[in-house]
Amino acid sequence: METDRFRIVGELSLPEQGYGSRLSDHVNRREVDFLVLRHAKVTALAGEATGDEWTTPVVLVGLRHARLIIPDPDRTDP
């Protein structure tokens, strides 16, 4: 995921079945304001901290700040 200032790589949990089980369905739900990514690596893209990286167990990203979301094509869930 990228925002204007950060690239965030982490795990996003989706509902197992039903409405919202696909990434596109989940991010388009009206009641979703934040995306929760676990085991996240955050890299600064802009400003004085450009290139700085850190990890965090959880990061919440306001959906309105997400500019790009790309699922990992090699990721398979058990």
Side-chain angles (χ1 to χ4, degrees):
M1 169 183 302
E2 286 191 8
T3 68
D4 288 339
R5 297 181 55 205
F6 300 100
R7 175 176 295 126
I8 306 163
V9 177
E11 297 175 6
L12 173 68
S13 296
L14 298 174
E16 289 187 27
Q17 56 187 337
Y19 179 75
S21 62
R22 295 182 305 184
L23 177 60
S24 59
D25 293 339
H26 185 64
V27 299
N28 286 310
R29 290 172 48 196
R30 292 182 190 260
E31 66 273 11
V32 172
D33 292 324
F34 290 89
L35 296 176
V36 179
L37 288 95
R38 295 177 301 136
H39 311 290
K41 180 172 91 171
V42 182
T43 305
L45 298 176
E48 294 179 17
T50 301
D52 283 355
E53 289 185 357
W54 66 93
T55 59
T56 182
V58 176
V59 64
L60 284 77
V61 179
L63 190 54
R64 66 186 179 103
H65 295 288
R67 300 291 179 239
L68 177 68
I69 301 173
I70 302 173
D72 183 349
D74 297 326
R75 173 88 172 141
T76 56
D77 291 321

